[in-house]
Amino acid sequence: MSDIKITRTTSSRRGDVDFDNIPFGKVFADHMFVASYDGEKWTDMEIKPFGTLTLHPAMLAIHYGQSIFEGMKAGISKDGNPILFRPEMHSRRLNNSARRLCMPEFPEEKFIEALEELLRLDHHWIPTKKGSSLYIRPFMFATDEFIGVRPSDTYKLIIFTQPVGPYYSEPVKLLAEKKYIRAAMGGTGEAKAAGNYAGSLLPAKLAKEQGYDQVLWLDAREYKYIQEVGTMNIFFVIDGVIVTPATSGTILKGITRDTFIHVLTGEGYKVEEREVSIDEIEDAHRAGTLTEVFGAGTAAVVAKVSKIKHLDNVMEIDTEAFEIAPLLFDRIDALRNGTAEDPHGWRHPVLVGATV
Ligand SMILES: *Cc1c(COP(=O)(O)O)cnc(C)c1O
């Protein structure tokens, strides 16, 4: 018997949403999951109508930043069953982030059960169009009402979901950052911590003022080795070999990144995870061997990169000629919606009719 208490909404908002035209990030499905940590254990797990929270002004998360999150997507199979994609990886990463920020872990089986129940209730919120999906946002934050720097005793874990349309991102232009950094060895770069994003806003804003969409982060010591981009890991195709920076402590371990590596290796491509310097990319561009650059993340899946500026060197990349990036987009979409083989067992179907 599940200990998740379920209170259904009495007035679904589903009919108010135009599923052919979903504004990004603004639409929320009917329900949310909420659990509380009382200092010793997770309690009061419930699914209830999506709504606002009431916060104490001294709530620790606001002042000292104990706040982490995940981002994942669900698709839907032809027979109408929601499909989660690698949910246990997201659960493990959430718990890795939690450990780094001195927060309690949330049990994997409860995490998956919460997702399943939520999707059963809100399965009619999953868009069916190609490239569309239901974005799932689990997050945890400190709730002690206290001023003083120490780990909170109490926390909340919440999961809400959002329908998202096909995310046609225009090719992105990147500015290799030569002053600010995202993460240094020993820092929190490997955690999906809210604060990492706060620190990235100013450099991103300055890059925008120069006509670039996002920052390409370089290492904190030499401004030489490539880390990642905003909310995405980065891939390069050089001389037919797919190269991506190794995750050595400063890079978020993207699940899309990991999926790409498996899919590409499985299809016979050569993939290298290693240090990638910006000089190597500039040399490859000059030599004409740099054929693709793309970002990998849950939101966009693949984002083609059309331009990279590093110091005075502006590199243009012909995104029309990309072959691997579009292949990956199709493969992931097919995996997520149940139309492709799933040799790794990444799909986690949720049977809608199976509510006990
Ligand atoms: C979430 C995130 C990614 C991408 O991870 P996915 O699991 O593929 O969505 C990459 N970089 C950063 C900084 C992130 O927060």
Side-chain angles (χ1 to χ4, degrees):
M1 222 353 237
S2 169
D3 49 5
I4 301 176
K5 182 184 153 208
I6 296 180
T7 311
R8 284 167 180 268
T9 181
T10 50
S11 56
S12 172
R13 291 172 283 101
R14 170 66 179 76
D16 305 340
V17 179
D18 172 9
F19 267 58
D20 289 325
N21 202 352
I22 309 169
F24 191 78
K26 290 187 188 166
V27 181
F28 302 88
D30 282 328
H31 298 90
M32 62 181 184
F33 170 84
V34 182
S36 302
Y37 191 77
D38 65 5
E40 282 168 13
K41 61 187 181 312
W42 287 99
T43 66
D44 300 328
M45 298 191 204
E46 60 172 332
I47 290 176
K48 59 183 187 181
F50 181 86
T52 54
L53 307 171
T54 305
L55 304 178
H56 190 280
M59 190 183 80
L60 270 183
I62 304 173
H63 298 270
Y64 306 115
Q66 264 186 310
S67 178
I68 57 174
F69 68 98
E70 271 301 314
M72 54 198 293
K73 276 179 172 174
I76 193 151
S77 69
K78 281 215 175 56
D79 43 12
N81 292 314
I83 303 174
L84 286 162
F85 194 66
R86 309 188 77 181
E88 55 302 307
M89 286 278 281
H90 288 277
S91 170
R92 277 172 221 154
R93 188 169 66 186
L94 180 78
N95 286 335
N96 287 339
S97 301
R99 277 195 298 275
R100 179 63 182 83
L101 270 74
C102 245
M103 301 166 80
E105 294 184 34
F106 191 78
E108 182 173 315
E109 65 281 2
K110 275 290 155 213
F111 183 79
I112 291 173
E113 187 186 332
L115 291 169
E116 288 175 344
E117 291 295 343
L118 203 51
L119 290 183
R120 274 190 197 117
L121 274 180
D122 284 339
H123 65 93
H124 54 297
W125 282 88
I126 307 176
T128 49
K129 264 199 194 163
K130 183 172 192 273
S132 302
S133 53
L134 191 73
Y135 184 76
I136 303 172
R137 169 52 60 92
F139 59 111
M140 191 198 295
F141 56 96
T143 54
D144 276 11
E145 298 160 2
F146 175 79
I147 288 298
V149 179
R150 60 147 173 82
S152 184
D153 289 327
T154 63
Y155 296 85
K156 278 211 189 308
L157 178 110
I158 299 181
I159 308 174
F160 62 67
T161 67
Q162 301 187 276
V164 289
Y167 190 109
Y168 288 123
S169 64
E170 288 287 303
V172 293
K173 305 185 194 81
L174 305 179
L175 182 63
E177 180 55 59
K178 54 183 196 230
K179 176 176 176 192
Y180 298 100
I181 59 152
R182 189 192 91 93
M185 284 305 282
T188 57
E190 220 175 60
K192 223 167 163 68
N196 289 345
Y197 283 89
S200 76
L201 297 175
L202 177 65
K205 180 173 165 234
L206 296 173
K208 280 223 170 67
E209 285 170 12
Q210 290 193 55
Y212 289 84
D213 303 301
Q214 296 206 40
V215 168
L216 177 64
W217 298 110
L218 303 179
D219 79 278
R221 197 190 296 247
E222 297 177 71
Y223 295 93
K224 177 174 174 183
Y225 295 102
I226 294 171
Q227 293 182 337
E228 59 182 306
V229 179
T231 59
M232 295 184 291
N233 296 111
I234 191 143
F235 284 76
F236 303 91
V237 182
I238 305 170
D239 240 343
V241 178
I242 295 134
V243 182
T244 191
T247 54
S248 51
T250 56
I251 296 175
L252 202 286
K253 289 182 179 166
I255 292 162
T256 314
R257 174 188 179 281
D258 184 77
T259 302
F260 281 9
I261 292 170
H262 279 94
V263 167
L264 290 168
T265 310
E267 298 206 11
Y269 289 96
K270 189 166 177 224
V271 183
E272 293 177 356
E273 294 180 73
R274 57 169 171 82
E275 281 190 331
V276 186
S277 73
I278 186 76
D279 312 314
E280 176 184 353
I281 297 308
E282 292 183 300
D283 289 345
H285 182 260
R286 238 173 261 124
T289 53
L290 178 71
T291 51
E292 296 188 40
V293 183
F294 51 88
T298 295
V301 184
V302 181
K304 296 178 183 178
V305 174
S306 60
K307 194 177 186 179
I308 302 175
K309 183 176 183 195
H310 175 237
L311 305 175
D312 291 330
N313 184 21
V314 177
M315 296 173 264
E316 309 259 6
I317 307 120
D318 176 16
T319 57
E320 296 291 319
F322 284 18
E323 289 171 4
I324 292 168
L327 173 136
L328 285 166
F329 185 88
D330 287 345
R331 292 288 189 278
I332 305 307
D333 196 67
L335 272 166
R336 201 176 267 145
N337 292 300
T339 56
E341 291 282 303
D342 180 25
H344 302 282
W346 287 331
R347 273 204 292 271
H348 183 103
V350 178
L351 299 179
V352 171
T355 318
V356 184

